[in-house]
Amino acid sequence: MDYVLPNELVDGMIGAGGKKSTVSVKNLLLRGFYSGAILGLAVILALTVGLKSGQPWLGSLLFPFGFASIVLFGMELVTGNFALLPMATWAGKSTWSATFRNWGWVWLGNWIGTAVVAVLMAISLTSGGTVDPASAAEGGGMWQQVAAKIIALNKTNVVVKYENLQSMGFFLAIIRGLIANWLVCLGVTMALVSKSVPGKILACWLPITAFQSMGMEHIVVNQFLHTAGPILGSGVPFWKCIFWNFLPVTIGNIIGGMVFIGMLFYSTYRTNIENVLPSEHDDKLERELAAELGAR
């Protein structure tokens, strides 16, 4: 049966969150690195397709391939863990100290992945620093246009939208981060309901496309954009990227994942773990739930 029932799903998420809380720092960093790197590449794909086609929505439609691979490979994405780890803690399968440990190392691993891709893409987009991204405004090539777009997004999503509005800007970044991770965790949770590869990909695709198209704020995507921007010469100090974007967006992502997915699903579908699996031991179902939820 290509379907995991809601109560099975929630108890599986609780078990997976408990196991994630014990994953070694090495694996948290390695799996976090992959997730950050692939999302950085997905952002470049979305920007390139959007600029070439003149249809930004088309880039947003293709962007979720990075998230789909994270789901299929069971990698570590901090925004998903914002929902999973609290569920395990509420159920007594983890602790808040273990939860914060997981979030901290995965956040760092995600950023390292995005930073590596940001450096590599900065070298590529500027032909090793021999071409100024500003030339895109004068008919520069596609690579320079992508670089110029990243610079523009860095300035807009740090200075214009948030720093210039001060406390209201900080609040708006939290709200947009909340909405983004509500949709992202919805996509990941929908993917976990299916046991087939096509079902997982289809289920996660639309919510991820939605947050990207709506211009909401996802911390790992932002880690790439606002690390690449200063590297490319946006002139935005990195500390401003941290304070006016990374910090409020992370707070919003935590609320969106923990409250609107984790707490909601936990509150309505929580059952005793012994009631989840059939009375006859089912190794296949146990393995699928563990694998699908990253319980390595």
Side-chain angles (χ1 to χ4, degrees), residues 264-296:
L264 189 152
F265 276 75
Y266 181 90
S267 297
T268 191
Y269 279 119
R270 171 70 171 122
T271 62
N272 294 325
I273 196 71
E274 59 267 19
N275 295 331
V276 173
L277 300 172
S279 54
E280 295 183 8
H281 190 65
D282 190 337
D283 288 321
K284 184 173 183 293
L285 178 57
E286 288 181 352
R287 188 182 70 84
E288 286 175 344
L289 282 171
E292 289 165 3
L293 292 161
R296 303 291 190 270

Side-chain angles (χ1 to χ4, degrees), residues 5-289:
L5 295 172
N7 64 318
E8 294 176 337
L9 173 68
V10 168
D11 285 313
M13 291 170 76
I14 291 168
K19 291 182 180 180
K20 280 178 177 288
S21 68
T22 64
V23 172
S24 68
V25 171
K26 180 201 76 172
N27 283 330
L28 291 177
L29 288 173
L30 286 175
R31 296 174 191 177
F33 173 89
Y34 172 86
S35 298
I38 200 66
L39 289 191
L41 293 172
V43 170
I44 291 293
L45 171 67
L47 293 177
T48 302
V49 171
L51 288 169
K52 279 189 173 182
S53 66
Q55 302 291 332
W57 67 268
L58 188 57
S60 297
L61 185 63
L62 297 176
F63 172 76
F65 91 88
F67 280 90
S69 74
I70 292 169
V71 169
L72 293 175
F73 298 151
M75 294 297 178
E76 295 285 347
L77 189 65
V78 71
T79 47
N81 289 0
F82 288 158
L84 281 180
L85 273 295
M87 294 174 74
T89 301
W90 296 326
K93 303 293 182 181
S94 181
T95 63
W96 284 114
S97 62
T99 294
F100 295 140
R101 167 187 172 274
N102 175 282
W103 288 357
W105 286 113
V106 175
W107 195 103
L108 179 61
N110 289 163
W111 178 76
I112 293 172
T114 61
V116 168
V117 172
V119 171
L120 294 176
M121 291 309 304
I123 294 171
S124 175
L125 295 173
T126 62
S127 296
T130 63
V131 178
D132 184 354
S135 65
E138 303 162 358
M142 180 53 62
W143 290 342
Q144 287 75 55
Q145 291 180 40
V146 173
K149 182 66 174 178
I150 291 173
I151 289 173
L153 288 170
N154 179 221
K155 292 178 178 178
T156 299
N157 289 357
V158 174
V159 179
V160 178
K161 287 184 178 179
Y162 304 126
E163 183 189 19
N164 287 352
L165 296 178
Q166 293 297 298
S167 59
M168 177 55 71
F170 198 90
F171 174 72
L172 287 173
I174 292 175
I175 293 298
R176 290 167 183 156
L178 184 159
I179 296 170
N181 206 33
W182 188 350
L183 289 168
V184 169
C185 287
L186 174 63
V188 173
T189 304
M190 288 175 65
L192 298 175
V193 171
S194 173
K195 297 179 183 179
S196 71
V197 171
K200 290 177 178 297
I201 293 176
L202 181 62
C204 78
W205 207 273
L206 288 179
I208 304 304
T209 298
F211 107 78
Q212 177 76 356
S213 300
M214 293 161 62
M216 297 296 109
E217 302 279 1
H218 184 271
I219 183 56
V220 182
V221 171
N222 290 4
Q223 285 175 337
F224 171 74
L225 287 174
H226 305 313
T227 299
I231 292 174
L232 287 166
S234 69
V236 179
F238 191 59
W239 72 265
K240 287 189 177 183
C241 299
I242 294 173
F243 184 79
W244 290 107
N245 193 283
F246 290 0
L247 177 58
V249 169
T250 297
I251 293 170
N253 284 174
I254 290 173
I255 298 170
M258 181 171 67
V259 176
F260 290 90
I261 294 297
M263 186 179 292
L264 189 152
F265 276 75
Y266 181 90
S267 297
T268 191
Y269 279 119
R270 171 70 171 122
T271 62
N272 294 325
I273 196 71
E274 59 267 19
N275 295 331
V276 173
L277 300 172
S279 54
E280 295 183 8
H281 190 65
D282 190 337
D283 288 321
K284 184 173 183 293
L285 178 57
E286 288 181 352
R287 188 182 70 84
E288 286 175 344
L289 282 171

